[in-house]
Amino acid sequence: MTDDRLAGKTAIITGASRGIGLATAAALAAAGADVVVTSRSQEAADTAAAHIGGTTVGFGAHAVDEEAARRCIEATLDRFGSVDILVNNAGTNPAHGPLIEQDHARFAKIFDVNLWAPLLWTGLAATAWMTEHGGAVINTASIGGLTHGAGLGMYNTTKAALIYLTRQLALELSPAIRVNAVAPGVVRTRMAELLWKDHEPLVAASTPLNRIGEPDDVAAAIVYLASASWVTGEILVIDGGQRLGDAQRVRS
């Protein structure tokens, strides 16, 4: 059966040249949406768009570049006539180790990309289209924003702040704009390689659903949130049960 629940809608996905972003762009397109994928380079954005095919187009825009973001939204309106769905997926993690060992440069970079960029793009999309016509915003957070762990304190802090931002925007932008977030666990992406690449069997065995996540798992949740007309301010955890605890201890 054809999935056309997003037919007639237009979606922008930031950081969509690979991983969760690329999978999300493909899933939104499969659900009938016209899709604009962004990446820091035009070449990477065009390659991603070609991979998805159909009406998908690429746009080179660094997530924290306000002028580039504005041009992307304007170009989307010119090309497709609406901006109905915004997925703030671009993220970074240059700051590993204890919080007190981080410098201001890394602090500024990670907060700019992981927190300021979602607010920037949401504000521009709201002003240009969504406040008057309605829309849905989905932020890519992390279960790290709901827990604590060694080595990822700065990243997790940005994701905790993004979760708060999601709920605050859901309140402030209601009723026209719904704002939700996904909070993935360990997913097979390049950015998360340190969490799984050298010990995937161990991570999988400790996960209740007995595998690490795939980008498509998260993408399916984002498509749901894009189409769920009575859901806002929610954080949908996609982690295979990882927050429940170590499954190996229960099974042994």
Side-chain angles (χ1 to χ4, degrees):
M1 186 172 66
T2 302
D3 183 358
D4 60 356
R5 63 186 132 161
L6 297 178
K9 305 292 186 181
T10 302
I12 297 174
I13 305 96
T14 69
S17 63
R18 63 176 188 263
I20 291 171
L22 182 59
T24 297
L28 290 169
D34 296 316
V35 174
V36 176
V37 297
T38 82
S39 180
R40 292 189 66 168
S41 78
Q42 185 65 53
E43 181 181 5
D46 288 342
T47 298
H51 173 79
I52 297 165
T55 60
T56 304
V57 297
F59 196 96
H62 185 12
V64 301
D65 184 336
E66 182 170 354
E67 183 55 34
R70 192 183 310 278
R71 285 189 283 105
C72 179
I73 289 172
E74 290 174 352
T76 301
L77 288 171
D78 288 343
R79 176 81 177 248
F80 297 113
S82 67
V83 178
D84 308 289
I85 301 160
L86 170 65
V87 182
N88 289 307
N89 176 72
T92 189
N93 185 22
H96 297 276
L99 280 173
I100 62 171
E101 294 180 4
Q102 306 308 315
D103 57 34
H104 183 260
R106 283 180 286 185
F107 177 94
K109 179 177 180 179
I110 196 169
F111 270 85
D112 271 356
V113 175
N114 293 0
L115 191 62
W116 165 244
L119 179 57
L120 168 66
W121 284 77
T122 301
L124 292 172
T127 301
W129 179 264
M130 291 184 177
T131 298
E132 182 176 354
H133 302 279
V137 176
I138 303 99
N139 297 321
T140 302
S142 168
I143 60 169
L146 300 167
T147 60
H148 301 85
L152 295 174
M154 191 71 76
Y155 177 82
N156 290 349
T157 299
T158 65
K159 294 303 184 177
L162 182 58
I163 287 169
Y164 183 94
L165 181 73
T166 297
R167 290 175 168 147
Q168 183 68 25
L169 287 173
L171 179 62
E172 292 185 10
L173 299 179
S174 64
I177 305 172
R178 299 182 300 103
V179 187
N180 295 287
V182 291
V186 179
V187 176
R188 193 188 308 279
T189 65
R190 186 185 302 177
M191 193 169 77
E193 279 184 345
L194 288 175
L195 301 177
W196 61 267
K197 188 172 183 180
D198 294 329
H199 45 273
E200 182 178 341
L202 179 62
V203 177
S206 65
T207 301
L209 293 188
N210 204 36
R211 65 175 177 86
I212 67 172
E214 301 291 345
D216 286 344
D217 295 318
V218 184
I222 292 174
V223 172
Y224 162 73
L225 290 173
S227 61
S229 62
W230 210 49
V231 178
T232 195
E234 291 302 318
I235 313 303
L236 184 52
V237 174
I238 315 295
D239 71 346
Q242 288 168 348
R243 284 202 308 160
L244 298 174
D246 189 343
Q248 292 185 100
R249 296 182 179 180
V250 177
R251 296 177 185 135
S252 60

